[in-house]
Amino acid sequence: MKKVNVFLMGCLAVAALSCSKDDEKKLDENSDPDGVNKQEEVLLDVNAVSSGVTIEGATKVQGSPVPSGDIEFSLDYEKQTAFQTNGFNIEFKAPAGFAGAYVQLKDENGMADSYFDIPVGATSGVYNKAAKTFERGLFANKKSAKSNLAGKGEDTSIDVNFEAEVTAGTFCYLICVYDGQGNISEPEEVCVTVESWGGNTNLVADWDFTKEIDNGETINKGDEYCDEDSYTTTLDCASGEAKEITIEYCYTTDSLLMTFNSDGTYEYTYNDTDRDFDWDASEESCEAVYEDEEEIYTSKGNWAYNEEESKLTLVEFEYTETYNGETETGVEEEGYLAFDGEITLTADKLVIIEKDTYEGEEEVYEYHFNKK
């Protein structure tokens, strides 16, 4: 009798395990039924793209530049990604005597009819594409903003933006640099993929934030977290006493809901509470006094998914920020690159992974979400 019971229990256990595996939610293997990502393989007409490119401070010249080869110049990348409206950056290490660059689009049929003359004054240092405000929104890097190609020795950047007529697809460009004596380097060629908006139906849902993992340290939604950047200073008290105190920066993520739509748009609203140091109250009481300030940040824009690298990109086009009772609303006509990085995705969980390098060490921040 015992043997029969053991046998039956074993069968039931196997059956239950089998059912649980069958019932487990799985990602839709056909995650791009509309062929959104296929649009990125379309070869774009270079003259049409060239007419839709804007580079502030550059002039357009008919024909093609003629290299003399008297300047050494090279790039360490041959491919890069761009986004509709937001465009891309051309980043390189400028040689000695650098006075400007020539950029001309090309395809398998040849060169565009004109090229861009970009003087040194129209270039800038390497920075995060469209990052007009480095510390804004949820995905602002904790320490600094880096571009996708930064860290490879590049020190000069050309900001390339697109008009609305530049759609998803591919094209190439040649770039050469020149000096003040009229010398022109040999060209380097780079091919660009303009990402489609959307691209993975498994992401289309409402996602509710549950926790952040900050360099291995877990911070759950609703838990107060005080970062390591506290410092000690002298407080000049109203009583005349000078007292040494430690000031901390602490915050609590109260809620974060992120929505990805099938048309390639997104929206997220981030609500947190900052514990701010109150200098006046601290000087009066002669001890550290903090005041809670609520921040609500809403970001709206477009999302793109790179299926080859499992990368998610968020390009913000408008935002609303309320802090300390004051509300600011902004529109980014050229787009703000809010996030561009790796994700992991299951049927009901999403992890957005942000990586940064600070003082030679990699820092990793993970944002965990459950599907609602």
Side-chain angles (χ1 to χ4, degrees):
M1 186 67 178
K2 286 184 178 180
K3 289 183 179 179
V4 173
N5 286 339
V6 170
F7 176 75
L8 288 173
M9 290 177 65
C11 289
L12 289 171
V14 171
L17 180 61
S18 176
C19 288
S20 66
K21 286 185 176 179
D22 290 340
D23 293 340
E24 184 180 343
K25 295 180 180 178
K26 295 181 180 179
L27 290 172
D28 186 353
E29 294 183 1
N30 184 20
S31 62
D32 187 17
D34 297 326
V36 170
N37 290 314
K38 286 290 184 182
Q39 298 173 21
E40 299 164 5
E41 301 173 9
V42 174
L43 298 179
L44 300 176
D45 179 87
V46 290
N47 283 311
V49 174
S50 187
S51 66
V53 163
T54 59
I55 303 174
E56 187 175 354
T59 56
K60 248 183 164 180
V61 183
Q62 288 295 116
S64 299
V66 180
S68 63
D70 296 329
I71 304 177
E72 289 191 11
F73 173 67
S74 64
L75 296 176
D76 58 4
Y77 57 94
E78 298 176 348
K79 297 179 180 179
Q80 65 183 123
T81 299
F83 303 99
Q84 297 173 64
T85 305
N86 184 250
F88 63 102
N89 282 348
I90 302 174
E91 296 171 356
F92 54 91
K93 185 172 180 59
F98 172 69
Y102 298 130
V103 173
Q104 188 167 26
L105 275 57
K106 66 164 291 188
D107 60 18
E108 57 187 6
N109 298 317
M111 311 298 295
D113 296 335
S114 59
Y115 64 93
F116 294 90
D117 180 357
I118 306 134
V120 63
T123 67
S124 64
V126 171
Y127 69 105
N128 188 353
K129 180 72 179 73
K132 296 180 176 63
T133 307
F134 287 158
E135 297 297 329
R136 194 176 83 197
L138 173 68
F139 301 109
N141 278 338
K142 299 291 190 297
K143 299 297 181 182
S144 62
K146 302 289 184 182
S147 70
N148 291 335
L149 302 173
K152 298 181 180 179
E154 289 85 356
D155 59 9
T156 304
S157 178
I158 298 172
D159 184 8
V160 181
N161 294 298
F162 293 148
E163 300 290 347
E165 59 263 30
V166 179
T167 58
T170 62
F171 66 89
C172 299
Y173 67 84
L174 297 181
I175 177 173
C176 48
V177 299
Y178 60 86
D179 62 18
Q181 286 70 50
N183 298 309
I184 304 173
S185 73
E186 293 295 334
E188 292 284 307
E189 181 174 345
V190 179
C191 290
V192 178
T193 298
V194 183
E195 290 279 333
S196 301
W197 296 134
N200 187 339
T201 55
N202 290 305
L203 275 167
V204 177
D206 295 325
W207 297 91
D208 189 28
F209 175 77
T210 60
K211 64 182 177 182
E212 174 186 349
I213 299 180
D214 187 334
N215 290 303
E217 183 176 357
T218 299
I219 310 164
N220 292 311
K221 180 175 69 174
D223 289 350
E224 184 179 65
Y225 173 72
C226 299
D227 68 21
E228 59 188 21
D229 293 332
S230 61
Y231 65 96
T232 300
T233 187
T234 299
L235 182 67
D236 295 322
C237 304
S239 62
E241 179 185 355
K243 185 177 182 180
E244 190 174 86
I245 61 169
T246 298
I247 297 178
E248 296 181 319
Y249 169 68
C250 303
Y251 71 91
T252 303
T253 300
D254 301 307
S255 64
L256 168 60
L257 182 64
M258 181 171 292
T259 300
F260 296 101
N261 300 309
S262 58
D263 63 356
T265 60
Y266 81 86
E267 178 177 346
Y268 77 75
T269 297
Y270 171 56
N271 189 325
D272 79 337
T273 302
D274 296 332
R275 190 156 66 94
D276 293 340
F277 185 77
D278 189 326
W279 279 100
D280 291 338
S282 297
E283 289 173 352
E284 187 65 32
S285 64
C286 206
E287 61 182 26
V289 177
Y290 293 88
E291 181 179 4
D292 287 344
E293 298 286 357
E294 183 183 27
E295 178 185 16
I296 302 174
Y297 189 94
T298 298
S299 172
K300 296 180 181 180
N302 288 85
W303 65 276
Y305 180 73
N306 185 321
E307 67 280 8
E308 295 178 355
E309 300 180 20
S310 297
K311 286 181 65 176
L312 172 69
T313 301
L314 304 180
V315 179
E316 179 182 270
F317 287 102
E318 58 180 293
Y319 69 92
T320 301
E321 182 175 24
T322 300
Y323 187 78
N324 197 18
E326 297 183 2
T327 298
E328 175 187 350
T329 299
V331 175
E332 294 285 357
E333 294 182 358
E334 298 174 358
Y336 171 92
L337 191 59
F339 177 77
D340 183 34
E342 180 185 348
I343 66 168
T344 60
L345 180 65
T346 66
D348 53 10
K349 294 186 184 299
L350 167 66
V351 181
I352 297 177
I353 304 168
E354 185 178 26
K355 296 181 180 180
D356 190 22
T357 301
Y358 179 65
E359 295 183 348
E361 295 186 5
E362 184 179 65
E363 299 186 340
V364 181
Y365 311 99
E366 296 181 1
Y367 304 90
H368 290 246
F369 298 80
N370 287 342
K371 182 182 284 189
K372 291 194 71 176

